[in-house]
Amino acid sequence: MRASQADILIVPGYQGSGPDHWQSRWERRLSTARRVEQAEWSKPVRDDWTKAVADEVNASTRPVVLVAHSLGVATAILAVPMFRRHVAGAFLVAPPDVANPDIRPKHLMTFGPYPTDPLPFPSIVIASRDDPYSSYEKTEETAAGWGSLLVDAGNSGHLNRESGHGPWPEGLLTFGKFVSRLSPDPMPEWTVRS
């Protein structure tokens, strides 16, 4: 599949993704990308955030590819049961350990723990070995539960602007390869009935 054949939904995390964040840059660069907007970026409410993602997926007219970062990953994963449209795949970057009692701010724990069932679409998880919001081992375990391909990003922090991942060309190349392997047509077992 080509990126132009999909609705690419950018799902930012806590406090959104500023103009220099790789998600914002990709949104400007990819013609079919749009951001899932949240009413309150600094006060995430699980039900509101997951509904916003589900609403965008369900309003899509083409196969959806999710591009989520940090708390956006948790939001997208928790929204899956509400999807009524074909999601071709998910590109999941730096999922935080939302079940960790040491996570800050504490209200991020309301997004955890993650479901551990396999996702009903292909997915890739990009994880850093020194992400301050999750251990690599925890992310590895989570990705395995989802049936996701895990990509080791080495010591790359939280894979955001602050860790030097503003443009993140390696991420865009990985995303392009991932999308090229997706099917625009739903597999029979992935079809969701209304």
Side-chain angles (χ1 to χ4, degrees):
M1 180 167 71
R2 293 186 314 275
S4 61
Q5 294 176 282
D7 281 336
I8 299 169
L9 296 185
I10 307 289
V11 187
Y14 176 63
Q15 297 186 336
S17 295
D20 294 329
H21 192 286
W22 61 265
Q23 282 187 310
S24 299
R25 292 169 186 253
W26 292 12
E27 180 184 1
R28 291 189 299 265
R29 183 172 180 172
L30 300 167
S31 64
T32 62
R34 69 180 187 274
R35 179 178 302 247
V36 175
E37 292 292 343
Q38 300 293 353
E40 267 297 336
W41 286 111
S42 60
K43 295 179 184 170
V45 176
R46 177 179 168 155
D47 289 346
D48 296 345
W49 277 40
T50 55
K51 182 181 182 312
V53 172
D55 287 350
E56 286 293 334
V57 168
N58 296 335
S60 295
T61 57
R62 292 177 285 224
V64 171
V65 177
L66 299 165
V67 178
H69 177 258
S70 193
L71 192 62
V73 174
T75 305
I77 296 300
L78 293 168
V80 168
M82 297 182 278
F83 293 169
R84 300 291 173 255
R85 295 293 219 181
H86 172 51
V87 173
F91 189 82
L92 310 170
V93 181
D97 181 359
V98 288
N100 181 347
D102 295 329
I103 198 167
R104 296 291 179 270
K106 288 291 244 184
H107 62 271
L108 300 185
M109 282 186 66
T110 62
F111 285 76
Y114 289 115
T116 55
D117 297 330
L119 295 175
F121 42 75
S123 58
I124 186 170
V125 171
I126 313 288
S128 168
R129 290 193 171 267
D130 62 351
D131 189 332
Y133 298 100
S134 182
S135 71
Y136 186 81
E137 294 73 24
K138 180 62 179 174
T139 304
E140 187 174 37
E141 176 186 312
T142 301
W146 294 339
S148 302
L149 172 66
L150 178 67
V151 175
D152 183 344
N155 293 328
S156 300
H158 195 48
L159 293 157
N160 57 8
R161 187 186 60 76
E162 290 77 15
S163 64
H165 296 84
W168 197 30
E170 304 87 355
L172 191 56
L173 285 171
T174 303
F175 176 71
K177 288 178 188 173
F178 174 66
V179 170
S180 73
R181 293 183 171 101
L182 298 177
S183 172
D185 302 315
M187 300 296 289
E189 66 270 18
W190 294 343
T191 303
V192 180
R193 291 178 172 66
S194 322

